[in-house]
Amino acid sequence: MAGITNAYSEITPAVPPWLNKGDNAWQLTAATFVGLQSMPGLVILYASIVKKKWAVNSAFMALYAFAAVLICWVLVGYRMAFGDQLLPFWAKGAPSLGQKFLINRAKVPESTHFHDGGLIETPTVEPFYPMVSLVYFQFTFAAITLVLLAGSVLGRMNIKAWMAFVPLWLLFSYTVGAFSLWGGGFLYHWGVIDYSGGYVIHLSSGIAGFTAAYWVGPRLKSDRERFPPNNVLLMLCGAGMLWMGWSGFNGGAPYAANVIAPIAVLNTNICAATSLLVWTSLDVVFFGKPSVIGAVQGMMTGLVCITPGAGLVQSWAAILMGILSGSIPWVSMMVLHKKSTLLQKVDDTLGVFHTHAVAGLLGGLLTGLLAEPALCRLILPVGNSRGAFYGGNGGMQFLKQLVGAMFVIAWNIVSTTIILLAIRVFIPLRMPEEQLNIGDDAVHGEEAYALWGDGEKYDPTRHGRNTAVYGEEMAPSPYVNGARGVTINL
């Protein structure tokens, strides 16, 4: 026992008195889980769920977003979302690169707010680990938001326009929502509940993705009519990484390895499983057979729905939320989508509006109804928070949830529109017709599967001389109209 005690109590230059090694280890682990959801989780999911000719492009859009967000995040993004207040909805941007900032104790929010009488408005949260752990954890949240948004514009967005869009949207849209709800903005102090990103991440990505899909324009008619996944089993692999990674997503939100973290993890899995089963059951009832893609969609809506309140609702409420998240988004996707002129017009490739915007809004509102007062007292910065079903001021909490959602929706529509219209002045938002017809080979000069004879056009002379991995020259393929790769002679 003495050895264990010394291991946790010894103070060295690298172990200051405020550092809790368990909390720090869990936060870094949770951040890694969330990072794996994007890289490689969603990279694999996107590459396999789309038509074969868009596999490389879809994977690359996710890969690029992950890398670009990290650099923008540490240069200026983190402190625009969690730094000193500049405006009620935005913080002052500054680099998060110096050791003087990174090794100090984490603190949220950085600005202290006072009532008119001089009392502190909302207590500061100071986790027991350094700022660098929080910077990295929050980066993974920012990255997955852009990756999810990409799902709305797969199969036609100009890759150069996407490369410009990612940093601009991160800095001028995501940071506003993050600061307003998490970093010390007006919604944070007012008491709007967004436990782990139902609004900041999912509602934002769903609304911004739908808006982007409108401005970018639709896929080719042939792609819209027939867009089968090119590898269902690989799609399940990516979906599985997404599901398991959500334990870090919601389990890391308390900023500590405390009693709320395992509650959030359990509720997350309960809601996801319930939603998947409900969605699959509806598929069987109405279409006569279960759909693997439908099961993945149901899993996703359950994970999204529980996120705003994962650590704040009881587990029976997680089952209820799973039932609703497996049915309401199903109705919006399978029924309302076919009857709505607007939804039919806007080509949201992977239905991110339904799986993230609808499910995220549903989760936020249900949290306003089902948030348990005792759990709220353990974790929320604003005291006396509770869901409407628990009486007291719970009705006011539901109103706060509704107002918070309206702000996030409005900001994302406006900011996404302005960013895309600005980019359109310099770069076309949609690929040219030649690229749309051919796909990956025209956009990247690469294809996902090295099989010849699928009909895609490929001219090896456009890419110069073929060279093997170790520098040995290879003869150009005589099949100039075949896909790049191995020729199989049968």
Side-chain angles (χ1 to χ4, degrees), residues 66-125:
F66 190 83
V69 168
L70 176 56
I71 301 305
C72 296
W73 192 247
V74 295
L75 286 176
V76 69
Y78 173 78
R79 297 178 79 172
M80 290 177 72
F82 293 91
D84 290 324
Q85 178 174 310
L86 174 66
L87 298 168
F89 54 86
W90 219 3
K92 301 174 183 175
S96 302
L97 294 168
Q99 56 87 14
K100 289 184 178 180
F101 174 76
L102 293 175
I103 66 173
N104 286 329
R105 185 173 178 179
K107 180 181 178 182
V108 179
E110 288 193 25
S111 298
T112 302
H113 294 254
F114 297 93
H115 288 293
D116 293 337
L119 299 175
I120 294 178
E121 184 174 6
T122 308
T124 297
V125 177

Side-chain angles (χ1 to χ4, degrees), residues 66 193 219:
F66 190 83
I193 299 174
R219 290 167 289 170

